Amino acid sequence: MTTVHKLPTELALNTNDSHKHGHQLSLRRVLSPTFFLGLAVIVMFAVYVLLGSYTVTIPDFFTIVINHLTGGEKIPGASFIVMEHKLPRAVVGTMIGIAFGLAGALFQTMLRNPLASPDIIGISYGASAAAVTAIVIFGASGAVVSGAALAGALGVAAIIYAISRGGSGAGGGSRGNAAGNRLILAGVGIAAALHAVVNFLMTRADIRTAADALVWLNGSLNSATWDRAGVLAVSLLILVPAVIALAGPLRILELGDDAAAGLGIKVNAARLALVLTAVGLAAVATAAAGPVAFVAFLAGPIARRIVRKPSLPASALTGALIVLLADFFASNIAPVILDGTVLPVGVITGALGAPFLLWLLVTSNRKEA
């Protein structure tokens, strides 16, 4: 037997090739579509804070923030606008975008249906009905309305999940598909009933109360404060790690219930954990800013077309980008077009959602043809 000895130059070439290959892989990961989505969110966040109806230079921004944190001298007017209006609004907008984006992606991936988002299956309407009840009947405002919205979203989610668990099917896979279809249908039915409840309450309210409720129903960042940002941040610190922990079982559940069970996944427990996490994300976001329409519905499919695969991080970043873009347009560009009228962010996202839904249906029909 003859032994082949590699020359030092050959070893060096092989080593260089492996280093080049590893460098190319790492560069490809860094320059991934998700990275550019994250970069776009950072750029839009900066544009949101620095530009608009009141512009702030970059040196002034850092001076304002540093002086605010250290108790230094404030710039008259600018410090208040940046620290009490622009920055908390941008922070809350980013966080609710992340929460809605993740909630929509979890539902859509788990149920394998692009229509399965909190907007469509009634969770947002549960929050709306509870919040409007608190505003119109009890005269509530502020944190009480947010608490009512949170309770309403969780209550409706529990009802929808209980209905979806009913019935029977043959085989694990068909049971899973049937439960998913029942969840969507139950959600659509409950959403229609709750929409009627909200309309009835609005007809019973006086003009001022109805106006307050209408702003909340459309979804608005007008009430964004540092306290609200703190509550959102704590909620995301609890829920985002749960999403990370459930990402593995979620990918396996995409293979079907039978395959997932065969791979050692406890299907019912995993699905319940995913539903609770997604509902929690949608509920805290809705409680913070109202039911900002279609963000949860839009984020997942748009992210999938950007990164060419289902991606929870891309969906979260897309949700944040949608909210920041929509609110910047509503606060700064719409008043110029509409003679001073400032729109709630939910009006803009709702206007985006309808044509996107039609486009989604058209493209899916072409693929099936």
Side-chain angles (χ1 to χ4, degrees):
M1 176 181 273
T2 58
T3 304
V4 178
H5 296 282
K6 288 192 176 182
L7 295 173
T9 52
E10 291 179 359
L11 289 172
L13 285 171
N14 290 338
T15 305
N16 288 337
D17 287 342
S18 63
H19 281 313
K20 284 180 182 177
H21 184 64
H23 179 68
Q24 287 173 353
L25 285 176
S26 60
L27 188 64
R28 198 174 299 166
R29 286 196 194 99
V30 169
L31 298 179
S32 66
T34 305
F35 169 80
F36 285 109
L37 270 174
L39 194 61
V41 171
I42 293 170
V43 170
M44 191 60 224
F45 188 96
V47 168
Y48 190 102
V49 174
L50 298 177
L51 302 179
S53 56
Y54 187 91
T55 58
V56 182
T57 63
I58 294 175
D60 281 351
F61 171 76
F62 284 109
T63 301
I64 289 167
V65 173
I66 292 168
N67 287 352
H68 181 83
L69 295 174
T70 59
E73 185 179 354
K74 295 182 179 180
I75 301 174
S79 294
F80 177 81
I81 290 171
V82 171
M83 296 307 303
E84 302 302 325
H85 177 67
K86 283 198 161 194
L87 201 53
R89 193 175 176 118
V91 170
V92 170
T94 302
M95 287 194 288
I96 68 163
I98 289 170
F100 276 130
L102 285 173
L106 285 174
F107 274 120
Q108 289 163 344
T109 306
M110 177 181 66
L111 300 177
R112 298 192 290 277
N113 191 323
L115 295 178
S117 77
D119 311 278
I120 307 296
I121 65 175
I123 293 168
S124 296
Y125 278 105
S128 298
V132 172
T133 301
I135 293 170
V136 173
I137 296 179
F138 300 104
S141 62
V144 177
V145 176
S146 297
L150 184 63
L154 295 174
V156 167
I159 294 169
I160 293 169
Y161 187 78
I163 293 172
S164 74
R165 295 297 302 154
S168 59
S174 59
R175 274 201 303 271
N177 292 335
N181 292 333
R182 281 196 301 273
L183 191 147
I184 295 170
L185 291 172
V188 170
I190 290 173
L194 291 174
H195 185 64
V197 170
V198 170
N199 287 340
F200 171 76
L201 290 171
M202 293 293 282
T203 62
R204 305 294 296 174
D206 61 73
I207 293 174
R208 184 173 296 178
T209 304
D212 292 340
L214 189 60
V215 170
W216 195 92
L217 281 171
N218 283 320
S220 172
L221 295 176
N222 290 344
S223 59
T225 61
W226 287 118
D227 290 339
R228 199 156 285 198
V231 173
L232 263 174
V234 171
S235 302
L236 290 180
L237 284 174
I238 296 169
L239 292 168
V240 170
V243 173
I244 294 170
L246 292 168
L250 178 63
R251 280 195 293 269
I252 296 173
L253 280 173
E254 286 186 83
L255 302 174
D257 288 4
D258 290 334
L263 292 170
I265 297 294
K266 295 179 179 178
V267 174
N268 290 334
R271 185 174 282 115
L272 177 60
L274 285 164
V275 168
L276 289 174
T277 304
V279 168
L281 287 163
V284 297
T286 304
V292 183
F294 287 129
V295 176
F297 170 69
L298 291 168
I302 291 175
R304 184 176 298 198
R305 279 159 176 76
I306 292 172
V307 302
R308 304 295 181 185
K309 62 179 181 180
S311 172
L312 294 176
S315 299
L317 293 170
T318 303
L321 191 59
I322 289 170
V323 174
L324 289 173
L325 278 167
D327 196 54
F328 184 82
F329 181 90
S331 302
N332 300 289
I333 299 172
V336 177
I337 301 171
L338 302 175
D339 196 23
T341 302
V342 178
L343 297 174
V345 62
V347 172
I348 305 300
T349 57
L352 292 173
F356 184 82
L357 175 59
L358 294 175
W359 178 76
L360 193 66
L361 290 171
V362 170
T363 53
S364 62
N365 287 338
R366 282 178 184 170
K367 286 179 183 177
E368 291 172 3

